[in-house]
Amino acid sequence: MVVIMKPHFTPEQLQEAIQAMKAGGVQVNISKGAETTVLGAEGDAARIDQELLEQLPGVERVMRVTEPYKKANRKYHPDDTVVPLGGGAAVGGKKLAVIAGPCSVESAEQITCVARAVQKSGACALRGGAFKPRTSPYAFQGLECQGLELLQKAKEATGLPIVTEIMSTEYVELFEECVDVIQVGARNMQNFALLKALGRRTTKPILLKRGLSSTIEEWLMSAEYILAGGNPNVILCERGIRTFETFTRNTLDLSAVLAVKTLSHLPVVVDPSHACGKAWMVERMAMAAVAAGADGLMIEVHNDPKNALCDGAQSLTPEQFQGVMDRLAALAPCMGREV
Ligand code: PEP
Ligand code: MN
């Protein structure tokens, strides 16, 4: 249940409404937006006296939230959430957040060289996998802890915050220490033990990728796990879903961007690299994502895509990435954004 306060409610009227909700056995989340203040019931709202609430002088309207996600729901939190990434960067505001870097960290030279290049082109954060979820156990699995160290070196060299994927709850504290944004990969979107740990044991921003065959509601319910655990910093990432089409690696669901921006207050970024699997498609799909209302992008960039240990076919060279940033700079103002 959410209670929408009148525009000029008094502090006493606010307390009155909160008390009436608490009397129904729930905790109350207060969301003070630019235009409206909304009180959200946390817990089972069945015992709240709706009629009584509706008659209170400071209350404009009372709504039952029928969707199963509550904290992720825009009804709870009408204003867009802005998630800080570190280094002064944020996602969810007017400025588009472009996260770029290789699929995997391969060496100190590689990650630092790519970090410098993407920073020069205007990326606000560096991505790079240290722990890689690979379909084959014989494929390169990532440099693991050494990869985290190399990411930190690249951060020291550039100041860019680092985004990297976590695969197990055992690493939450380590990631808390040395990572700026923790990525949950598509394959782990419904790893509920991991989601709970990321809700309870850290407040670092979580970049939650959509599962390969997850519905929008399932994706938002996964975000809900993290929010319910107490971590408010969730960024959603649309990275394509599995369909019958085989030409592209996945099918980029851009309508999902619009859907989640309407249903939820959480920021959304789009990963055109994993969605298409083809470097030549990335620029146009990145632009389409911005036109669809994405708050940012995550793009794979490699200094030598042909010899990349992972996802070379979809990785841009630093020069190609610069080209994408130039096109985005031209497009952004049309969408009320900046780069
Ligand atoms: C990645 O970002 O490197 C990755 C593995 O992506 P996804 O989980 O979307 O497949
Ligand atoms: Mn990849």
Side-chain angles (χ1 to χ4, degrees):
M1 175 187 281
V2 292
V3 174
I4 296 130
M5 298 299 292
K6 284 187 178 152
H8 303 292
F9 62 86
T10 66
E12 293 73 30
Q13 289 170 340
L14 180 69
Q15 281 314 314
E16 211 177 5
I18 293 172
Q19 288 316 319
M21 291 173 80
K22 284 190 171 165
V26 299
Q27 291 295 311
V28 180
N29 174 67
I30 308 172
S31 167
K32 284 203 172 89
E35 272 154 36
T36 37
T37 293
V38 173
L39 307 179
E42 291 179 10
D44 182 5
R47 287 198 298 115
I48 300 179
D49 187 340
Q50 185 168 344
E51 271 178 37
L52 177 116
L53 262 173
E54 278 165 344
Q55 281 159 18
L56 293 179
V59 170
E60 169 105 25
R61 207 149 45 93
V62 179
M63 275 194 298
R64 291 269 167 199
V65 178
T66 46
E67 294 84 7
Y69 44 91
K70 309 292 178 190
K71 293 189 168 200
N73 205 306
R74 199 178 269 283
K75 287 178 187 156
Y76 251 63
H77 190 291
D79 285 359
D80 288 340
T81 285
V82 178
V83 176
L85 303 178
V91 55
K94 190 168 182 200
K95 195 167 157 64
L96 291 171
V98 182
I99 303 165
C103 182
S104 325
V105 181
E106 297 173 9
S107 68
E109 299 69 44
Q110 174 244 17
I111 192 68
T112 306
C113 157
V114 177
R116 287 211 166 97
V118 299
Q119 181 179 43
K120 197 161 148 255
S121 299
C124 70
L126 173 70
R127 65 147 286 146
F131 295 86
K132 294 302 302 176
R134 302 303 300 275
T135 302
S136 166
Y138 309 116
F140 176 57
Q141 301 290 308
L143 296 179
E144 305 189 334
C145 292
Q146 194 203 343
L148 295 181
E149 283 168 24
L150 299 182
L151 280 167
Q152 276 182 303
K153 291 225 169 79
K155 180 181 173 177
E156 277 162 27
T158 58
L160 285 179
I162 53 189
V163 183
T164 195
E165 178 166 352
I166 194 164
M167 297 217 297
S168 159
T169 55
E170 71 184 286
Y171 291 117
V172 174
E173 281 68 33
L174 178 64
F175 273 55
E176 166 80 29
E177 264 172 46
C178 64
V179 165
D180 297 288
V181 179
I182 305 176
Q183 175 173 327
V184 174
R187 290 153 192 83
N188 272 313
M189 190 205 83
Q190 285 191 320
N191 180 339
F192 299 114
L194 185 59
L195 299 175
K196 282 184 197 171
L198 294 170
R200 291 176 189 159
R201 284 162 41 195
T202 179
T203 52
K204 283 280 158 88
I206 309 299
L207 183 89
L208 178 66
K209 294 191 115 183
R210 182 179 180 184
L212 278 73
S213 39
S214 298
T215 65
I216 288 168
E217 188 166 293
E218 286 164 343
W219 187 20
L220 289 172
M221 288 309 287
S222 291
E224 189 76 12
Y225 264 92
I226 300 166
L227 299 171
N231 183 351
N233 298 310
V234 178
I235 304 156
L236 299 166
C237 178
E238 164 61 45
R239 46 77 73 205
I241 50 174
R242 186 163 284 187
T243 67
F244 52 80
E245 184 53 67
T246 55
F247 184 77
T248 45
R249 184 174 180 184
N250 292 287
T251 297
L252 182 54
D253 183 7
L254 284 182
S255 55
V257 175
L258 267 162
V260 288
K261 290 290 294 176
T262 307
L263 298 170
S264 176
H265 53 88
L266 297 172
V268 185
V269 303
V270 168
D271 171 353
S273 309
H274 289 88
C276 302
K278 297 180 194 298
W280 64 271
M281 288 188 161
V282 168
E283 179 176 297
R284 286 298 177 108
M285 288 297 110
M287 293 175 78
V290 171
D295 298 298
L297 295 159
M298 179 146 100
I299 297 179
E300 284 190 342
V301 179
H302 196 284
N303 54 328
D304 182 11
K306 283 199 187 68
N307 291 303
L309 294 182
C310 186
D311 288 351
Q314 68 194 34
S315 298
L316 302 185
T317 62
E319 295 70 34
Q320 290 167 329
F321 179 66
Q322 176 65 52
V324 174
M325 293 302 284
D326 292 342
R327 302 294 293 273
L328 288 174
L331 173 68
C334 307
M335 303 311 302
R337 299 278 192 170
E338 328 172 320
V339 290

